[in-house]
Coordinates of all heavy atoms in Angstrom, one line a residue:
T1 N 10.9 3.2 2.2 CA 11.7 2.7 3.3 C 13.2 3.0 3.1 O 13.6 3.4 2.0 CB 11.5 1.2 3.5 OG1 12.1 0.5 2.4 CG2 10.1 0.8 3.6
A2 N 14.0 2.8 4.1 CA 15.4 3.1 4.0 C 16.2 1.8 3.5 O 17.5 1.9 3.5 CB 15.9 3.6 5.3
D3 N 15.6 0.8 3.1 CA 16.3 -0.4 2.8 C 17.0 -0.3 1.4 O 16.6 0.5 0.6 CB 15.5 -1.7 2.9 CG 14.4 -1.9 1.8 OD1 14.5 -1.1 0.8 OD2 13.6 -2.7 2.0
D4 N 18.0 -1.1 1.2 CA 18.8 -1.0 -0.1 C 18.0 -1.5 -1.3 O 18.4 -1.2 -2.4 CB 20.0 -1.9 0.1 CG 21.0 -1.4 1.1 OD1 20.9 -0.2 1.4 OD2 21.8 -2.2 1.7
L5 N 16.9 -2.2 -1.1 CA 16.1 -2.7 -2.2 C 15.1 -1.7 -2.8 O 14.6 -1.9 -3.9 CB 15.3 -3.9 -1.8 CG 16.1 -5.1 -1.3 CD1 15.2 -6.3 -0.8 CD2 17.0 -5.6 -2.4
G6 N 14.9 -0.6 -2.1 CA 14.0 0.4 -2.5 C 12.5 0.0 -2.3 O 11.6 0.5 -3.0
R7 N 12.3 -0.8 -1.3 CA 10.9 -1.3 -1.1 C 10.0 -0.2 -0.5 O 10.5 0.7 0.1 CB 10.9 -2.5 -0.2 CG 11.6 -3.7 -0.8 CD 11.4 -4.9 0.2 NE 12.0 -4.6 1.5 CZ 11.9 -5.4 2.6 NH1 11.1 -6.5 2.5 NH2 12.4 -5.1 3.7
L8 N 8.7 -0.4 -0.7 CA 7.7 0.5 -0.1 C 7.0 -0.2 1.0 O 6.8 -1.5 1.0 CB 6.7 0.9 -1.2 CG 7.1 1.6 -2.4 CD1 6.0 1.8 -3.4 CD2 7.7 3.0 -2.0
A9 N 6.7 0.5 2.1 CA 5.9 0.0 3.2 C 4.4 0.4 3.0 O 4.1 1.0 1.9 CB 6.4 0.5 4.5
A10 N 3.6 0.1 3.9 CA 2.2 0.5 3.9 C 2.0 2.0 3.6 O 2.8 2.8 4.1 CB 1.5 0.1 5.1
P11 N 1.0 2.4 2.9 CA 0.8 3.8 2.6 C 0.4 4.6 3.8 O -0.2 4.1 4.7 CB -0.3 3.8 1.5 CG -1.0 2.5 1.7 CD 0.0 1.5 2.2
A12 N 0.6 5.9 3.7 CA 0.2 6.8 4.8 C -1.3 7.0 4.8 O -1.9 7.1 5.9 CB 0.9 8.2 4.6
M13 N -1.9 6.8 3.7 CA -3.4 6.9 3.6 C -4.0 5.6 4.1 O -3.6 4.5 3.7 CB -3.9 7.2 2.2 CG -3.4 8.6 1.7 SD -3.7 8.8 -0.1 CE -2.2 8.1 -0.7
P14 N -5.1 5.7 4.9 CA -5.8 4.5 5.3 C -6.3 3.7 4.1 O -6.7 4.3 3.1 CB -6.9 5.0 6.2 CG -6.5 6.3 6.6 CD -5.7 6.9 5.5
L15 N -6.2 2.4 4.2 CA -6.6 1.5 3.1 C -8.1 1.7 2.8 O -8.5 1.6 1.6 CB -6.3 0.1 3.4 CG -4.8 -0.3 3.4 CD1 -4.6 -1.8 3.8 CD2 -4.1 0.0 2.1
E16 N -8.9 2.0 3.8 CA -10.3 2.2 3.6 C -10.6 3.4 2.7 O -11.4 3.4 1.9 CB -11.1 2.3 4.9 CG -11.2 1.1 5.7 CD -9.9 0.7 6.5 OE1 -8.9 1.6 6.4 OE2 -9.8 -0.4 7.0
E17 N -9.7 4.5 2.9 CA -9.8 5.6 2.1 C -9.4 5.4 0.6 O -10.0 5.8 -0.3 CB -9.0 6.8 2.7 CG -9.6 7.4 3.9 CD -8.8 8.7 4.3 OE1 -8.1 9.2 3.4 OE2 -8.9 9.0 5.5
L18 N -8.4 4.5 0.5 CA -7.9 4.2 -0.8 C -9.0 3.4 -1.6 O -9.2 3.6 -2.8 CB -6.6 3.4 -0.8 CG -5.4 4.1 -0.2 CD1 -4.2 3.2 -0.1 CD2 -5.0 5.3 -1.2
A19 N -9.6 2.5 -0.8 CA -10.7 1.7 -1.5 C -11.8 2.6 -1.9 O -12.5 2.3 -2.9 CB -11.2 0.6 -0.5
G20 N -12.1 3.6 -1.1 CA -13.2 4.5 -1.5 C -12.8 5.4 -2.7 O -13.7 5.9 -3.4
A21 N -11.5 5.6 -2.9 CA -11.1 6.5 -4.0 C -11.0 5.8 -5.3 O -10.8 6.4 -6.4 CB -9.8 7.2 -3.7
A22 N -11.0 4.4 -5.3 CA -10.8 3.6 -6.5 C -12.0 2.7 -6.7 O -12.8 2.4 -5.8 CB -9.5 2.8 -6.4
D23 N -12.0 2.1 -7.9 CA -13.0 1.1 -8.2 C -12.5 -0.3 -7.7 O -13.3 -1.1 -7.4 CB -13.2 1.0 -9.7 CG -13.8 2.2 -10.3 OD1 -14.9 2.7 -9.8 OD2 -13.2 2.8 -11.2
L24 N -11.1 -0.4 -7.6 CA -10.5 -1.6 -7.1 C -9.2 -1.3 -6.4 O -8.4 -0.6 -6.9 CB -10.3 -2.6 -8.2 CG -9.6 -4.0 -7.8 CD1 -10.6 -4.8 -6.9 CD2 -9.3 -4.8 -9.0
L25 N -9.1 -1.8 -5.2 CA -7.8 -1.7 -4.4 C -7.3 -3.1 -4.3 O -8.0 -4.1 -3.9 CB -8.1 -1.2 -3.0 CG -6.9 -1.2 -2.0 CD1 -5.8 -0.4 -2.5 CD2 -7.4 -0.8 -0.6
V26 N -6.0 -3.3 -4.7 CA -5.4 -4.6 -4.7 C -4.2 -4.5 -3.7 O -3.3 -3.7 -3.9 CB -4.9 -5.1 -6.0 CG1 -4.5 -6.6 -5.9 CG2 -6.0 -5.0 -7.1
V27 N -4.2 -5.3 -2.7 CA -3.2 -5.2 -1.6 C -2.4 -6.4 -1.4 O -2.9 -7.6 -1.3 CB -4.0 -4.9 -0.2 CG1 -2.9 -4.8 0.9 CG2 -4.9 -3.7 -0.3
E28 N -1.0 -6.2 -1.5 CA -0.1 -7.3 -1.2 C 0.0 -7.4 0.3 O 0.5 -6.5 1.0 CB 1.2 -7.1 -1.8 CG 2.2 -8.3 -1.6 CD 3.4 -8.2 -2.5 OE1 3.3 -7.9 -3.7 OE2 4.5 -8.6 -2.0
A29 N -0.5 -8.5 0.9 CA -0.7 -8.6 2.4 C 0.2 -9.7 3.0 O -0.2 -10.2 4.0 CB -2.2 -8.8 2.6
D30 N 1.3 -10.0 2.4 CA 2.1 -11.1 2.9 C 3.6 -10.9 2.4 O 3.8 -10.1 1.5 CB 1.6 -12.4 2.4 CG 1.7 -13.5 3.4 OD1 2.5 -13.4 4.4 OD2 1.1 -14.6 3.1

């Protein structure tokens, strides 16, 4: 993102695809 903190937003890849590519997907959802 463009903020001063250097934060990341949601990934470009769909979360379902990420879950399929890993044994475990952990998502910060709040």
Side-chain angles (χ1 to χ4, degrees):
T1 66
D3 71 14
D4 295 335
L5 298 176
R7 295 184 301 170
L8 300 172
M13 293 168 277
L15 293 177
E16 290 77 7
E17 287 188 21
L18 293 177
D23 297 306
L24 180 65
L25 170 65
V26 191
V27 180
E28 186 166 319
D30 212 349

